[in-house]
Amino acid sequence: MSQITPEIVAEHGFSSEEYARVLRAMGREPNLTELGIFSVMWSEHCSYKSSRFHLKKLPTSAPWVICGPGENAGVIDIGDGQAAIFKMESHNHPSYIEPYQGAATGVGGILRDVFTMGARPIANMNALRFGRPDHPKMRHLISGVVRGIGGYGNCVGVPTVGGEVNFHPAYDGNILVNAMTVGVAQTDKIFYCAAAGIGNPVVYVGSKTGRDGIHGATMASADFTEDSEEKRPTVQVGDPFTEKLLIEACLELMASDAIVAIQDMGAAGLTSSSVEMASKGGVGIELNMNKVPCRETGMTPYEMMLSESQERMLMVLKPGREAEAEAIFRKWELDFAVIGTITDTEHMVLKFNGEVVADIPLAPLADEAPEYERPYISPTEYQAWAKVPELGAVKESEDLGADLVTLMASPDIASRRWIWEQYDNKVGGDTVQAPGGDSAVVRVHGTDKAIAITTDCTPRYCYADPYEGGKQAVAETYRNISAVGATPLAITNCLNFANPQRPEIMAQIVGCLGGMGDACRALDYPIVSGNVSLYNESKATGGGSAILPTPAIGGVGLMADWRKAATIAFKQAGEAIWLIGGHGDHLGQSIWLREIEGREAGAAPKVDLAAERTRGEQVRALIHAGIATAVHDIADGGLLVTIAEMALAGRIGAELDGMTPAQAFGEDQGRYVVTTASDGFIEGAVRIGTTGGDTVAGAALETLRTGHEGFFPALMNG
């Protein structure tokens, strides 16, 4: 009788067509261990089977790009023989089920992606999406996620320097936790994952393997159902102190020439790391499962291969270097075991108790994994499906100051101080600009250079118009990096969408990727790494609640001199306030419309990419010349919110020219507010006022501050 029943095949997430492909690849029926290995390697989380076709269209190269997508992280040249290595990843499903560990291990995983390549991590960021603030689960989820991010990052000694938070009912049943890490390496000491050298030893280092996280990758490739709480065992458990030891041990060994290839054990653990190393190197791999360090008794090869226990790495060493490497890892009190060898078979062979328990050709696991061109509806059909209401007539505001007070205290604009005060943003001593500005700025240790980092996405725009929303997410990172005076160089992304088997969701994916690609080409701003997180949809909330399309973008830029970084704070009274990009009036999809009129309606704002580039260059030139004293890009809430944020940061008010509600709160793109000394001048800009006093649009600064700072403490204190 067959060991593999149709029920077991279904439990492992295979369609009947996919299982038929497994049978063809194997030339026989797989055993349970082999089936499990195929199931995680062919999961959406590991294979990107619904998105690969479209991801190939994105621009990924530039003269400064050393390594684009396909490795653990992207690598760009930052001069002087140094490289920035960075990536963004999701840990959405685990964070909903077990928010503290889900978020903590998300941070641990993205740190490993970066130091695996030889970089010392210098900064963490995050992009978080929560449901309605008054949803019964939300306080628990917010508290757990924030504590998890802080608990891991603070303990491992990498500063968490910024991020973003949105609230929307679409995330009630499926929150998003996206983590980003940036590191710095020497360009001649970058490590890749392709295994080489027949007979070379395969080495396991780090923590022992347990049963936590088994089927984590598979869980992340399916919708949530009512029994999601039962999936707690698939959530990994993190130990930041072990991770800190692992970083130091790996970097110490990397200073030698002993390592041929290295890969962290992330999603799908030992399976994905060994398959990726061997398949990228065009070699085979043989592992002795009896040698895998385990922390639980009686673990089977199936459990060892699918475990997602944290803080583990796999390496291929040069022959004869095992003792040297072992001495380093033992010194750092980490496990070290030679568990296999590189072969010439192009197969993965697993042995246990002297018997072969798995023998799989590598090509079908990796490069020949399924790739789908899933059907999607046209933009016109999408608009009919999305049912975004027309903007229609807009009420004239009675009181701009009162509206401003309401907006500054609203969930999407209120101060995130309650969150970022739980993160150590100064550890390492190189943080130049902490959370609260347009971009974080972190000095490259021992140099005058600094790296600017931001994460951005406006999901409500992406839902209303996926193409324009995709453009805007990229353009806003470009703007935020320009606003501190850095030159935008490259992006990473975390593409969070719902079920790709629904043509309307696939239309969101294709539209957003199309907009992102066009923005990157126009701004000379390539995509060097990323992550796709699909099936962010919960049946538990009733009726299949899909998240808003959320292609979060992490942008990285470079400054030659960190001392010239601009900040958003007004510096002194009597300075001129300038508007670059002109008065706007676009209230469609604006925060003002949602918070004041209680509706989400109208088209998303259009993004003029040529204007974005020109204005970004102009702002950077003003900063470098020392003309701009404060700079802030205009984003959520429009012009008046931007000015209020600058006023609160500097504790100085603003005396402004008159403006209409549409000019005050429209979210037209590609715009900045800049201040100059009173005798300064900005060509092509409009002077709209002067710094001074203790009000903005008639609203007292202290009233604005009370509302702005009060939202999160009031929410979290219940």
Side-chain angles (χ1 to χ4, degrees):
M1 183 176 160
S2 168
Q3 182 190 3
I4 304 299
T5 64
E7 291 74 22
I8 289 173
V9 170
E11 280 169 14
H12 282 75
F14 290 103
S15 66
S16 56
E17 294 83 4
E18 286 174 346
Y19 185 59
R21 286 182 65 159
V22 172
L23 294 175
R24 286 197 298 276
M26 294 289 289
R28 59 175 170 81
E29 186 177 80
N31 62 36
L32 187 62
T33 301
E34 293 165 336
L35 187 76
I37 288 169
F38 268 102
S39 106
V40 290
M41 289 306 298
W42 285 10
S43 70
E44 195 74 63
H45 198 71
C46 292
S47 73
Y48 295 174
K49 57 191 173 187
S50 297
S51 55
R52 271 207 325 271
F53 176 79
H54 299 284
L55 292 173
K56 292 172 188 171
K57 305 171 190 173
L58 295 172
T60 59
S61 60
W64 53 90
V65 174
I66 294 172
C67 177
E71 279 289 336
N72 285 294
V75 186
I76 57 171
D77 194 323
I78 58 170
D80 309 309
Q82 292 178 308
I85 299 184
F86 59 98
K87 191 182 183 185
M88 192 175 191
E89 281 217 335
S90 60
H91 230 223
N92 303 334
H93 286 49
S95 298
Y96 183 82
I97 295 167
E98 178 39 72
Y100 183 92
Q101 289 296 351
T105 52
V107 173
I110 196 64
L111 282 164
R112 283 194 300 283
D113 278 337
V114 167
F115 74 76
T116 294
M117 297 195 70
R120 179 170 290 281
I122 64 164
N124 288 333
M125 299 277 276
N126 52 74
L128 312 176
R129 319 285 162 181
F130 296 111
R132 290 166 293 160
D134 59 356
H135 185 281
K137 280 195 77 161
M138 220 43 63
R139 273 171 53 200
H140 162 72
L141 291 170
I142 295 166
S143 171
V145 164
V146 171
R147 284 188 303 111
I149 290 168
Y152 206 100
N154 297 353
C155 293
V156 87
V158 177
T160 301
V161 293
E164 54 168 346
V165 186
N166 289 154
F167 292 88
H168 194 278
Y171 305 104
D172 280 355
N174 201 127
I175 63 171
L176 302 184
V177 175
N178 297 171
M180 177 178 174
T181 294
V182 180
V184 172
Q186 297 301 310
T187 51
D188 60 353
K189 278 284 186 184
I190 295 168
F191 292 81
Y192 299 100
C193 74
I198 308 307
N200 278 354
V202 177
V203 172
Y204 170 121
V205 299
S207 287
K208 288 181 166 61
T209 294
R211 290 188 171 94
D212 54 320
I214 293 173
H215 284 306
T218 317
M219 174 191 74
S221 307
D223 293 341
F224 270 154
T225 54
E226 283 78 359
D227 65 352
S228 62
E229 294 296 323
E230 295 168 18
K231 295 183 177 177
R232 282 179 191 273
T234 60
V235 177
Q236 311 89 332
V237 179
D239 178 356
F241 299 106
T242 300
E243 181 108 340
K244 173 62 174 168
L245 300 177
L246 191 58
I247 292 173
E248 299 305 331
C250 286
L251 291 176
E252 184 175 337
L253 184 59
M254 285 166 167
S256 74
D257 63 346
I259 298 173
V260 175
I262 181 167
Q263 177 78 0
D264 79 295
M265 294 192 217
L270 187 51
T271 291
S272 63
S273 54
S274 53
V275 168
E276 285 172 20
M277 290 175 86
S279 62
K280 283 196 173 142
V283 294
I285 190 165
E286 183 174 302
L287 302 179
N288 180 348
M289 304 309 291
N290 294 93
K291 298 282 182 71
V292 174
C294 292
R295 67 166 184 261
E296 299 183 46
T297 55
M299 286 190 72
T300 64
Y302 177 97
E303 291 171 324
M304 291 181 227
M305 291 304 289
L306 269 58
S307 164
E308 292 185 12
S309 293
Q310 296 291 288
E311 295 90 37
R312 302 179 302 155
M313 313 282 274
L314 200 63
M315 299 181 184
V316 177
L317 298 181
K318 291 180 179 175
R321 305 299 289 274
E322 298 92 330
E324 173 190 348
E326 180 169 10
I328 290 171
F329 282 89
R330 296 290 181 208
K331 180 185 84 174
W332 290 100
E333 300 181 349
L334 295 165
D335 272 278
F336 178 98
V338 178
I339 65 167
T341 53
I342 298 301
T343 67
D344 62 0
T345 62
E346 296 184 25
H347 275 233
M348 169 192 267
V349 176
L350 308 181
K351 291 185 174 175
F352 187 59
N353 295 339
E355 294 182 6
V356 173
V357 292
D359 184 347
I360 308 176
L362 283 160
L365 281 177
D367 299 339
E368 295 169 24
E371 179 182 307
Y372 298 123
E373 270 187 77
R374 298 205 185 273
Y376 56 94
I377 56 180
S378 71
T380 306
E381 292 168 316
Y382 176 80
Q383 289 302 325
W385 171 83
K387 296 186 176 65
V388 176
E390 293 287 322
L391 179 61
V394 176
K395 292 181 224 161
E396 273 297 308
S397 174
E398 307 283 317
D399 184 340
L400 292 186
D403 286 0
L404 179 61
V405 170
T406 300
L407 260 58
M408 294 300 286
S410 67
D412 277 4
I413 293 176
S415 168
R416 273 68 179 121
R417 182 185 301 278
W418 180 89
I419 293 178
W420 57 254
E421 282 189 340
Q422 298 183 53
Y423 304 153
D424 187 340
N425 60 62
K426 298 289 193 297
V427 63
D430 284 317
T431 304
V432 174
Q433 201 167 140
D438 283 323
S439 291
V441 182
V442 181
R443 186 177 55 171
V444 178
H445 192 73
T447 75
D448 290 337
K449 292 183 301 198
I451 294 175
I453 316 161
T454 182
T455 62
D456 293 290
C457 182
T458 312
R460 63 185 186 277
Y461 296 171
C462 295
Y463 180 82
D465 186 333
Y467 175 75
E468 287 295 335
K471 275 166 62 180
Q472 191 274 341
V474 171
E476 190 171 346
T477 67
Y478 185 89
R479 215 178 304 139
N480 278 329
I481 290 169
S482 297
V484 297
T487 302
L489 289 180
I491 67 171
T492 182
N493 60 58
C494 197
L495 307 174
N496 308 273
F497 294 93
N499 186 335
Q501 295 177 55
R502 294 168 55 192
E504 59 274 16
I505 302 301
M506 203 63 218
Q508 293 175 345
I509 296 171
V510 173
C512 285
L513 286 174
M516 285 166 50
D518 284 352
C520 289
R521 279 181 281 270
L523 299 172
D524 209 8
Y525 192 35
I527 296 169
V528 297
S529 61
N531 168 247
V532 180
S533 173
L534 305 181
Y535 296 95
N536 289 292
E537 191 161 322
S538 174
K539 295 183 173 64
T541 54
S545 139
I547 64 159
L548 298 181
T550 312
I553 305 293
V556 170
L558 182 67
M559 296 194 75
D561 184 352
W562 62 268
R563 298 170 193 85
K564 291 189 173 177
T567 63
I568 70 170
F570 286 160
K571 300 303 182 292
Q572 58 186 10
E575 295 201 328
I577 303 172
W578 300 88
L579 172 60
I580 293 178
H583 274 294
D585 62 359
H586 189 97
L587 289 173
Q589 296 303 318
S590 67
I591 298 279
W592 181 86
L593 193 69
R594 186 168 84 196
E595 297 298 326
I596 303 302
E597 290 207 358
R599 59 196 183 101
E600 294 183 16
K606 299 279 188 208
V607 179
D608 180 336
L609 293 168
E612 286 283 1
R613 183 162 185 161
T614 303
R615 291 169 192 164
E617 289 166 353
Q618 180 185 12
V619 166
R620 297 197 297 273
L622 290 167
I623 294 168
H624 296 162
I627 294 168
T629 54
V631 181
H632 197 3
D633 85 304
I634 298 175
D636 281 354
L639 173 61
L640 210 47
V641 165
T642 301
I643 292 170
E645 289 172 343
M646 298 173 83
L648 290 175
R651 298 182 176 272
I652 299 167
E655 294 156 6
L656 301 169
D657 297 345
M659 58 183 84
T660 66
Q663 290 174 330
F665 302 114
E667 295 182 10
D668 306 67
Q669 297 295 296
R671 300 186 299 150
Y672 302 80
V673 174
V674 177
T675 58
T676 63
S678 55
D679 57 349
F681 175 73
I682 299 179
E683 191 173 340
V686 182
R687 181 167 178 170
I688 57 170
T690 307
T691 60
D694 55 6
T695 64
V696 176
L701 282 187
E702 283 316 303
T703 304
L704 290 168
R705 189 180 307 283
T706 299
H708 190 54
E709 297 281 356
F711 167 77
F712 266 104
L715 172 66
M716 300 313 294
N717 293 333

